[in-house]
Amino acid sequence: MSRHLGLDLGGTNIKWVVLEGDGVPEVVGRGTLPTHGGEGPEVVASRLVQARDDAFREYAPVETVGLGVPGLFDPETGEVSLFPNLPGPWRGFPLRDEVSRGLASDVVMINDARAFTIAESTMGAGRGARIVVAMVLGTGVGGGITVDGRLHLGAFGTAGEIGHQTVLPDGPMCGCGNRGCVEALTKADALAELAGMDSAEEVFENASRGDERSLDAIARVAEYLGIALANTVTVIGPDVVVVGGGIAAAGDLLFVPLREAIRRRVTLVPVDRLSVVPASLGSLAGAIGAALAGRDQPDVRAR
């Protein structure tokens, strides 16, 4: 049985999984180690190599390696364009080449939200659906689209950036340079600010006890997310919308108002037949998706 390694580069930790098998594989190995992001790009690249070494000690041989990364990169060169949640001089850093050299093997690099999308489409909540739209909620708002099991990335390699739709003209500045993006209005920090809390977790905790300001903040965030997903549903026509990430872990506190917001705004497709469901793979989704990208999509052009 073939084995495939997926590495998920996070701001705090690097997660890895080893998948075994063709078709829908199974996870046979997993692990985590600190990123040491504050020590700079070269150290982070060496930590990715260390993660590979940890996996290989028990699970070699591995046929392919995929790497999920938290930001944007040039799909041709593998050089980093923007890693907003990792400190240091990342712009222009040749991450794919550095890791490939350290591993002495080719590496398929993919944006972490796209990796999440592949994972949930293949092995998670979107399994069996022909067209899947995925959204990841947390520090930012990522997304992706798969059609017949493959990522749809468009002419420029960026299709699926659900979080960078404009939903409030002249709204707050987003990290992408636009104003009024759904990400700027719904990310974890924005939710916490709306509720006057220190974190999104605190907002949901207080909302579960009936705190009105927290419930109002969640409703506003759900409305903006609903606009973005309603737009996406109308244009793309997915069978399933999968929502994951830290904020999505709040369950019905988020999903009930989110589904209501989508229902109010989708009029041209049979919304009653649309499933809006929580992700099912948890914190391993990024690493699983990276492994699947390495196995199935070596020509991926993901940013």
Side-chain angles (χ1 to χ4, degrees):
M1 298 284 282
S2 61
R3 286 181 171 176
H4 307 273
L5 174 64
L7 303 168
D8 179 22
L9 173 59
T12 303
N13 293 307
I14 296 167
K15 301 181 183 71
W16 60 264
V17 301
V18 175
L19 303 184
E20 184 176 84
D22 301 319
V24 179
E26 64 174 322
V27 176
V28 295
R30 67 187 70 183
T32 304
L33 71 162
T35 302
H36 292 177
E39 298 180 36
E42 290 82 4
V43 170
V44 172
S46 71
R47 298 294 288 170
L48 289 165
V49 174
Q50 180 62 56
R52 188 287 307 265
D53 292 344
D54 291 350
F56 273 34
R57 270 195 290 272
E58 187 170 352
Y59 298 103
V62 170
E63 292 188 11
T64 61
V65 180
L67 169 60
V69 298
L72 309 180
F73 60 92
D74 187 310
E76 300 297 334
T77 67
E79 293 181 355
V80 174
S81 303
L82 177 66
F83 277 11
N85 298 312
L86 278 174
W90 280 101
R91 184 175 294 277
F93 183 75
L95 181 61
R96 186 170 62 200
D97 285 352
E98 286 290 318
V99 176
S100 295
R101 188 160 37 248
L103 302 184
S105 65
D106 291 337
V107 174
V108 172
M109 196 155 76
I110 183 171
N111 169 269
D112 55 1
R114 309 294 196 276
F116 167 87
T117 302
I118 297 173
E120 290 291 341
S121 299
T122 304
M123 298 173 60
R127 180 176 174 181
R130 179 170 177 263
I131 303 175
V132 178
V133 164
M135 176 183 274
V136 191
L137 310 175
T139 305
V141 178
I145 301 163
T146 58
V147 180
D148 294 328
R150 291 189 64 82
L151 281 173
H152 172 70
L153 293 165
F156 306 104
T158 57
E161 283 288 356
I162 298 169
H164 294 291
Q165 296 177 65
T166 302
V167 293
L168 183 65
D170 301 319
M173 181 65 72
C174 181
C176 74
N178 183 35
R179 286 190 176 276
C181 286
V182 66
E183 176 173 296
L185 293 158
T186 65
K187 61 185 180 179
D189 287 350
L191 174 62
E193 183 177 350
L194 280 172
M197 306 291 177
D198 292 329
S199 68
E201 291 79 10
E202 187 178 357
V203 176
F204 286 113
E205 181 179 342
N206 283 319
S208 69
R209 295 197 292 263
D211 178 72
E212 288 296 329
R213 185 173 179 183
S214 296
L215 289 167
D216 288 345
I218 294 168
R220 184 182 296 188
V221 163
E223 185 67 23
Y224 287 131
L225 292 171
I227 293 171
L229 285 175
N231 292 341
T232 305
V233 166
T234 300
V235 173
I236 303 299
D239 303 287
V240 178
V241 175
V242 179
V243 183
I247 292 179
D252 284 348
L253 282 170
L254 175 69
F255 276 89
V256 169
L258 176 59
R259 290 182 180 119
E260 290 174 353
I262 295 170
R263 184 179 298 275
R264 285 196 302 273
R265 295 181 180 277
V266 174
T267 61
L268 301 180
V269 302
V271 69
D272 289 340
R273 291 163 50 191
L274 173 70
S275 295
V276 181
V277 298
S280 64
L281 296 176
S283 64
L284 291 180
I288 290 171
L292 289 168
R295 186 192 74 170
D296 297 335
Q297 305 193 103
D299 60 340
V300 69
R301 292 290 181 264
R303 292 175 182 242

